[in-house]
């Protein structure tokens, strides 16, 4: 994955940009650098970055002001703030503005690499989770389509025998819209003279001791 990872380094010290380009480039990452917020904005406009290493104080803005633009171009991205200010307040501010993590200058090489790797792992987990959620949503939509377009009446009852769900076939077969049935007792559509038999059929299905494979009721 490292060969496809694009990292943006924004720092007003060219020496730091060069060092990070060499260091992170040796791990297979593609690096772009900017010496100011305006230069960074142009790169963000032209490229989609996975990781952004942002100096907290730039000549023309604060580093965290770029986070929204980076994530707006690629929601699967993480920003890491680099700060020479060791105060906790500046770090907390950056995290509140959406930064994934922060590094205090001067930082160790191993600390930098580990932080980048952790951010990438977090991104992978987010992508995997989103993929799972999308598949579940698609499966749910497919199931709902099958249920609502079934020619048979499909319904659910609560323990009191009241409807909690009916599909569209209820209106086609009985002539009653769902909002007139939800919350009402099933005897509403079978009639009082069939209520005893209907109760026996439903309870039989609940117990699992089925005397018949199917039953018919006139609605």
């Amino acid at each position: 994955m490292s060969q496809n990872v694009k990292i943006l380094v924004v720092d007003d010290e060219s020496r730091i940009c060069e060092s990070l380009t060499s260091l992170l480039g040796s791990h297979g990452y593609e690096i772009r650098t900017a010496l100011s917020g305006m230069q960074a904005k142009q790169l963000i406009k032209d490229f989609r970055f996975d990781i952004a290493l942002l100096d907290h104080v730039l000549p023309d803005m604060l580093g965290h002001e770029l986070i929204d633009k980076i994530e707006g171009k690629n929601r699967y991205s993480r920003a890491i703030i680099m700060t020479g200010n060791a105060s906790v307040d500046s770090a907390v501010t950056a995290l509140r503005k959406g930064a994934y993590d922060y590094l205090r200058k001067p930082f160790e090489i191993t600390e930098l690499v580990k932080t980048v790797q952790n951010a990438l792992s977090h991104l992978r987990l987010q992508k995997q989770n989103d993929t799972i959620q999308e598949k579940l949503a698609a499966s749910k939509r497919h199931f709902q389509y099958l249920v609502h377009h079934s020619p048979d009446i499909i319904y659910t009852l609560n323990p009191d025998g009241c409807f909690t769900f009916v599909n569209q076939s209820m209106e086609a077969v009985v002539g009653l819209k769902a909002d007139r049935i939800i919350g009402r007792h099933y005897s509403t559509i079978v009639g009082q003279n069939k209520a005893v038999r209907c109760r026996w059929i439903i309870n039989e299905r609940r117990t699992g001791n089925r005397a018949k494979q199917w039953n018919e009721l006139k609605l």
Side-chain angles (χ1 to χ4, degrees):
M1 179 181 176
S2 61
Q3 294 180 350
N4 299 320
V5 172
K6 291 182 174 59
I7 297 179
L8 172 64
V9 176
V10 185
D11 197 297
D12 58 345
E13 295 186 42
S14 58
R15 175 181 54 83
I16 292 179
C17 289
E18 292 170 0
S19 297
L20 294 183
T21 298
S22 176
L23 172 63
L24 296 172
S26 67
H27 285 76
Y29 304 130
E30 182 180 334
I31 314 299
R32 301 275 179 171
T33 63
L35 298 175
S36 67
M38 291 304 297
Q39 288 183 13
K41 285 183 177 181
Q42 185 59 50
L43 288 174
I44 293 169
K45 181 180 178 181
D46 296 336
F47 300 95
R48 298 173 74 248
F49 293 99
D50 303 288
I51 302 293
L53 292 166
L54 309 173
D55 188 19
H56 181 58
V57 180
L58 297 167
D60 49 356
M61 65 178 63
L62 295 176
H64 65 248
E65 295 179 48
L66 295 168
I67 295 177
D68 288 343
K69 295 186 178 297
I70 295 168
E71 294 183 348
K73 190 67 180 290
N74 177 21
R75 70 188 186 98
Y76 294 115
S77 62
R78 292 293 180 271
I80 300 169
I81 297 294
M82 302 179 295
T83 175
N85 185 350
S87 72
V88 175
D89 291 341
S90 62
V92 171
T93 299
L95 295 176
R96 286 177 176 172
K97 295 296 183 179
Y100 169 75
D101 205 347
Y102 72 96
L103 292 167
R104 293 181 180 178
K105 297 179 181 178
F107 43 77
E108 297 292 332
I109 294 176
T110 54
E111 181 185 9
L112 168 66
V113 173
K114 185 63 176 178
T115 302
V116 170
Q117 290 175 341
N118 287 342
L120 291 173
S121 296
H122 192 265
L123 285 178
R124 283 192 292 268
L125 289 175
Q126 181 184 352
K127 289 179 181 179
Q128 291 171 1
N129 181 67
D130 287 350
T131 299
I132 292 172
Q133 294 302 319
E134 289 170 2
K135 289 181 177 179
L136 288 174
S139 178
K140 181 179 180 180
R141 289 192 298 269
H142 180 65
F143 174 76
Q144 289 176 335
Y145 177 86
L146 294 177
V147 168
H148 282 294
H149 289 79
S150 170
D152 300 318
I153 295 175
I154 299 176
Y155 63 92
T156 57
L157 302 174
N158 66 16
D160 295 324
C162 297
F163 288 101
T164 57
F165 169 82
V166 293
N167 68 343
Q168 296 173 359
S169 293
M170 180 67 79
E171 182 178 356
V173 175
V174 183
L176 293 176
K177 292 182 178 296
D179 59 2
R180 294 190 58 191
I181 297 177
I182 298 299
R184 301 177 69 178
H185 197 267
Y186 63 78
S187 61
T188 301
I189 64 170
V190 299
Q192 292 298 326
N193 59 332
K194 300 292 184 181
V196 174
R197 182 164 178 259
C198 187
R199 184 168 59 252
W200 179 85
I201 292 172
I202 291 174
N203 288 337
E204 181 196 30
R205 293 301 185 233
R206 287 176 170 174
T207 60
N209 299 320
R210 300 184 177 185
K212 296 182 179 180
Q213 292 299 315
W214 57 274
N215 285 279
E216 287 187 356
L217 282 172
K218 185 176 180 180
L219 305 179

